[in-house]
Amino acid sequence: MEKPSYIPNSDEFGELQRFVDSLFASAKLVDNLDAQVLAETYDLPDELMEIVGMLPGGIYERSRLADQFNSALAAHGWTQRFGTVE
């Protein structure tokens, strides 16, 4: 995902997308514990750790996990700062 030109420079833009890409690199399904453990190893910013921490328990395919993350990002008003997840 490329950052739109109207978004201020932020090293954090797209970081959650890269995290999700890595999470699903070798798996079709992941659970919330997989996401939380990998988020810790990625040393995500506190705000993104909050988003990952809000993930309800369960097993997720990529599209469902992206929907969960995008909903939380939108609710916090962070989509322009961090981007959205596909």
Side-chain angles (χ1 to χ4, degrees):
M1 166 188 287
E2 190 170 322
K3 178 176 72 165
S5 60
Y6 59 85
I7 302 293
N9 286 336
S10 169
D11 293 337
E12 299 165 333
F13 188 89
E15 197 165 345
L16 193 58
Q17 179 65 57
R18 290 185 291 275
F19 165 73
V20 170
D21 290 343
S22 177
L23 190 59
F24 285 94
S26 62
K28 292 203 181 272
L29 298 172
V30 297
D31 64 24
N32 63 329
L33 184 58
D34 294 331
Q36 291 180 26
V37 169
L38 189 61
E40 289 287 336
T41 63
Y42 262 64
D43 196 26
L44 292 175
D46 292 339
E47 294 89 348
L48 292 180
M49 288 300 298
E50 182 179 339
I51 296 296
V52 174
M54 293 173 62
L55 191 63
I59 297 174
Y60 295 89
E61 58 187 19
R62 186 182 182 110
S63 62
R64 184 169 169 235
L65 184 75
D67 288 346
Q68 289 286 333
F69 284 158
N70 289 335
S71 292
L73 286 167
H76 282 80
W78 291 340
T79 54
Q80 286 195 351
R81 179 176 174 193
F82 297 112
T84 55
V85 179
E86 297 176 351

